[in-house]
Amino acid sequence: MKLNNKLSIILLLWFLIVPIGVFYTFQFFPPKPVDVPVIIAFCVLAGIVSYFPIHINSSPIYIFQWVNMAGFISYGLFFELILTQFSIIVVLMSLKVKKEEAYRYPYNSIMFFGISLLSGILYFAIGGKIGFTSLQDNILPIIIYAIANVLINHFFLYISNPFVGKRISLFELDVLWELLIICIVVPLSIILYYLNEQFSYIAFLLIGLPFMGFGYVVRLYNSSERFNDYLHKAAEIGHQLNETLEVDEIFDLFIQKVSQTLTVDYAYILDVQGDEMVLLRGMENGLQMPNIIPPIKKYEGISGHVWATEKPVFYNNKGEWENIADGYMPENIESILCVPIFKNKKVEGVLFLASTKRGQYEKYQLPILDILCSYFVVAISNARHYEQTKMNSEHCPLTQLYNYRYFDNLLTNEFLLLNKGIRKELSLIMLDIDSFKMINDTFGHQSGNDILVMLAKRITGLIGNRGIVARYGGEEFVILLKDTSKAAALNLAELVRLTIANRPFLFENSLDENMGEVEVQITVSIGVATAPYDADEAIALIRHADRALYIGAKRAGKNRVAEYVK
């Protein structure tokens, strides 16, 4: 059901039910005379209890019923009905209901009007009295009245499921929890009733101040519990980040865990690059987003201010930040947490988190984010160091091709796939520069190194993604072709040979004092072998390609391609 239709229907029902119902309640259940200071005292206490609930395990518990019940047994149903309507408005204000949920005001007003009316009628039906002097005669009606409040409330929630769109079963654990709260509500209501009878509005100071003090202590306790819980989660996330050695995986894990821990709808990691920040990773509603944020300058928007000032910020609603925001910003964002990411006491990036709910974040979450960002920076640094170390161990430092160690492991793994039938064929091309010693003796080893580098680039340019090129040692190179027949491998090898032979190499003569450029024609000899026809294991394939290279090509006159022949 569309929002406007839903709100219109509920407003119509409200006008038909609540004003008329309140009028007739006053006619049939008129209130007892009450002083204005007492009315004010009831409203103040009910408002405070409604706006500041008790949090248990991060769940708000609203027990304004104890104040309203005291008003009911003191002054009647009409008084309780008005007090409850006031309390519900305060509760919804404390929840910071968004515009798209504005229907909750008339909806809850109708629902609690019905709860007050039905519970009150039941109370009178079973002999309950207003302004009683003997508790013994009224205790059972009071308990039944309190239980009826809970059950009628839950029944209304259940029957309104299709209209409101929230699935609530007929029997839930929440009902048992609310019934247990009656053990607190009923005694408090009776105490407030008797104190009001004896001391009028002074009674609210006698019971209200201790209750508010208790609520404040519980609030502090729950805040410290939540803080400790966040610390525990941050430590777990830190361990998970440091166990990951892939930079991209760390970005994904970090943004995912932070979003889950702090209930985030939008999350962006921005990286400082020179005089601007760019988006490294973005997540919106659980989905990774492409780079949709243009580069950000210092003092530009919220992230730019955090970068420039090196101080975190948090906002509870759109009104607090909309004059600061600049550039890309989803329209439905309300709450924002934005913190700088430091490395060596310098801002290296910014973490921007946002929620569509108002008042989603609290100030004590900022140091938690600071800890998480520290874990993140360390994990990224470790992963990049590991990747660099891994690259150095797998690549030839001169040509930047894979080295012998990497190629040997790769070929072994490919043979495992071949034996399992995942690979059909493996062709190996091995090539060696002809008369390379003479080049070194003539032009120097530095010039020889320049030739190796140029040759490596020429081979990788020819092969592309058709195979894997490695420097096998000295002036020898290998090319591994997966699922490639020997005929195709021979054709590719011939292309490589011709390209090298027909394009001279231009380099500086390192033995010449003037480092003059020289042009030299170079040729290579190539051997080709293919598994499983020529070999049944990795070392045999290398040996047979090498045999074809030296016996079939080198000894036959060089500058040619030879295949292995059994």
Side-chain angles (χ1 to χ4, degrees):
M1 183 180 295
K2 291 183 179 180
L3 176 63
N4 290 337
N5 292 340
K6 181 187 293 187
L7 181 59
S8 300
I9 293 172
I10 294 178
L11 280 174
L12 178 61
L13 289 173
W14 186 87
F15 278 111
L16 292 174
I17 295 173
V18 176
I20 296 173
V22 169
F23 173 77
Y24 280 105
T25 301
F26 182 82
Q27 298 298 318
F28 290 100
F29 304 98
K32 285 181 60 180
V34 53
D35 296 334
V36 172
V38 174
I39 295 174
I40 294 173
F42 264 106
C43 289
V44 170
L45 185 57
I48 292 172
V49 175
S50 301
Y51 198 83
F52 299 104
I54 296 173
H55 286 82
I56 299 177
N57 292 330
S58 300
S59 298
I61 305 298
Y62 295 93
I63 56 173
F64 58 82
Q65 293 95 333
W66 72 273
V67 181
N68 299 353
M69 188 184 298
F72 171 69
I73 58 181
S74 296
Y75 302 107
L77 177 58
F78 178 81
F79 186 86
E80 187 272 342
L81 191 151
I82 298 300
L83 196 59
T84 297
Q85 293 290 311
F86 170 74
S87 300
I88 290 303
I89 293 173
V90 175
V91 168
L92 293 175
M93 290 173 60
S94 74
L95 293 174
K96 299 179 174 65
V97 174
K98 295 185 290 186
K99 291 180 180 178
E100 55 267 29
E101 293 183 330
Y103 69 87
R104 292 177 63 180
Y105 282 96
Y107 166 74
N108 280 277
S109 176
I110 294 170
M111 188 176 74
F112 278 91
F113 170 80
I115 294 169
S116 296
L117 186 62
L118 294 176
S119 300
I121 291 173
L122 178 63
Y123 176 80
F124 294 127
I126 58 178
K129 296 179 180 178
I130 301 301
F132 57 85
T133 55
S134 173
L135 177 62
Q136 184 176 355
D137 297 334
N138 279 273
I139 187 64
L140 183 59
I142 290 173
I143 293 174
I144 293 175
Y145 169 82
I147 294 173
N149 254 276
V150 173
L151 297 181
I152 295 170
N153 177 29
H154 192 71
F155 178 73
F156 279 172
L157 289 173
Y158 175 74
I159 63 174
S160 64
N161 276 350
F163 190 79
V164 179
K166 294 183 179 180
R167 293 184 178 180
I168 297 174
S169 60
L170 190 56
F171 299 100
E172 285 189 332
L173 289 176
D174 287 350
V175 179
L176 295 177
W177 179 244
E178 290 176 18
L179 289 172
L180 287 173
I181 293 176
I182 289 174
C183 298
I184 301 173
V185 169
V186 170
L188 283 173
S189 299
I190 293 172
I191 291 170
L192 182 58
Y193 165 74
Y194 277 115
L195 287 174
N196 180 47
E197 288 289 311
Q198 293 294 320
F199 304 107
S200 186
Y201 62 89
I202 303 299
F204 295 89
L205 295 177
L206 295 175
I207 193 171
L209 290 178
F211 180 82
M212 286 186 286
F214 169 75
Y216 181 71
V217 170
V218 172
R219 192 180 185 88
L220 289 178
Y221 172 77
N222 279 283
S223 294
S224 65
E225 284 290 297
R226 291 198 297 273
F227 185 79
N228 290 334
D229 183 52
Y230 279 126
L231 281 177
H232 179 70
K233 290 179 179 178
E236 289 181 351
I237 294 171
H239 288 308
Q240 292 174 353
L241 289 173
N242 283 299
E243 288 172 357
T244 307
L245 294 175
E246 296 289 337
V247 172
D248 284 340
E249 288 184 16
I250 290 174
F251 277 115
D252 293 337
L253 180 64
F254 177 71
I255 205 166
Q256 176 191 4
K257 291 298 181 180
V258 169
S259 298
Q260 292 173 350
T261 302
L262 297 178
T263 314
V264 173
D265 298 308
Y266 299 90
Y268 310 101
I269 302 174
L270 301 158
D271 182 46
V272 175
Q273 296 182 2
D275 62 347
E276 61 185 21
M277 279 195 306
V278 297
L279 180 67
L280 284 182
R281 191 69 92 250
M283 183 176 288
E284 297 186 354
N285 298 312
L287 299 175
Q288 187 170 319
M289 302 300 294
N291 191 349
I292 50 179
I293 300 178
I296 299 171
K297 301 288 186 180
K298 277 190 175 182
Y299 294 105
E300 185 179 352
I302 296 172
S303 299
H305 275 80
V306 169
W307 174 23
T309 61
E310 301 185 356
K311 294 180 180 179
V313 297
F314 81 103
Y315 301 105
N316 286 317
N317 59 72
K318 193 171 185 176
E320 295 179 3
W321 56 259
E322 61 182 347
N323 293 330
I324 308 170
D326 189 19
Y328 176 80
M329 183 74 77
E331 291 187 2
N332 59 344
I333 284 179
E334 287 287 346
S335 303
I336 289 176
L337 266 178
C338 190
V339 298
I341 301 174
F342 288 95
K343 183 180 179 182
N344 298 326
K345 298 182 180 181
K346 181 182 177 183
V347 177
E348 296 289 339
V350 166
L351 175 64
F352 181 97
L353 307 175
S355 170
T356 58
K357 295 180 179 179
R358 293 185 178 185
Q360 183 64 44
Y361 306 121
E362 298 187 48
K363 195 170 184 178
Y364 72 82
Q365 293 171 331
L366 292 175
I368 299 296
L369 272 183
D370 187 50
I371 293 171
L372 286 172
C373 288
S374 298
Y375 285 139
F376 171 68
V377 169
V378 171
I380 288 292
S381 179
N382 290 341
R384 284 175 175 163
H385 177 72
Y386 168 79
E387 288 185 353
Q388 185 62 48
T389 302
K390 183 181 178 184
M391 181 177 178
N392 292 341
S393 69
E394 293 178 344
H395 288 75
C396 164
L398 177 65
T399 64
Q400 299 304 308
L401 296 176
Y402 289 114
N403 58 20
Y404 169 82
R405 177 188 297 175
Y406 175 85
F407 183 79
D408 190 51
N409 291 332
L410 173 68
L411 189 59
T412 300
N413 291 332
E414 288 298 325
F415 257 89
L416 291 175
L417 298 177
L418 183 69
N419 294 332
K420 292 178 180 178
I422 299 174
R423 292 270 182 263
K424 301 302 179 184
E425 295 171 305
L426 286 175
S427 289
L428 180 64
I429 299 174
M430 181 174 284
L431 63 90
D432 181 84
I433 301 174
D434 295 327
S435 306
F436 190 66
K437 183 178 182 302
M438 185 178 67
I439 294 172
N440 281 332
D441 293 341
T442 305
F443 304 107
H445 287 282
Q446 182 57 50
S447 298
N449 287 342
D450 291 342
I451 289 174
L452 291 174
V453 172
M454 287 186 285
L455 181 65
K457 290 180 179 178
R458 193 171 293 185
I459 295 171
T460 52
L462 284 169
I463 300 303
N465 59 4
R466 289 180 288 184
I468 297 172
V469 184
R471 185 183 178 192
Y472 199 67
E475 63 270 23
E476 281 189 334
F477 297 82
V478 287
I479 305 167
L480 180 63
L481 305 169
K482 304 172 185 178
D483 291 323
T484 304
S485 67
K486 181 180 282 189
L490 287 168
N491 289 335
L492 185 57
E494 183 62 20
L495 176 63
V496 171
R497 184 194 68 79
L498 285 171
T499 303
I500 294 170
N502 294 334
R503 290 172 56 191
F505 287 77
L506 186 67
F507 56 91
E508 293 179 345
N509 184 354
S510 60
L511 297 181
D512 183 0
E513 290 183 0
N514 297 321
M515 297 294 288
E517 286 191 340
V518 294
E519 186 177 88
V520 175
Q521 192 131 9
I522 293 170
T523 63
V524 295
S525 297
I526 301 176
V528 178
T530 301
Y533 317 110
D534 299 332
D536 56 3
E537 58 182 358
I539 191 169
L541 186 65
I542 294 173
R543 186 170 62 248
H544 293 163
D546 193 46
R547 179 182 176 85
L549 166 64
Y550 282 95
I551 295 178
K554 290 279 189 185
R555 291 184 185 179
K558 301 178 181 179
N559 190 24
R560 65 188 61 208
V561 175
E563 64 176 302
Y564 172 72
V565 179
K566 295 182 180 179

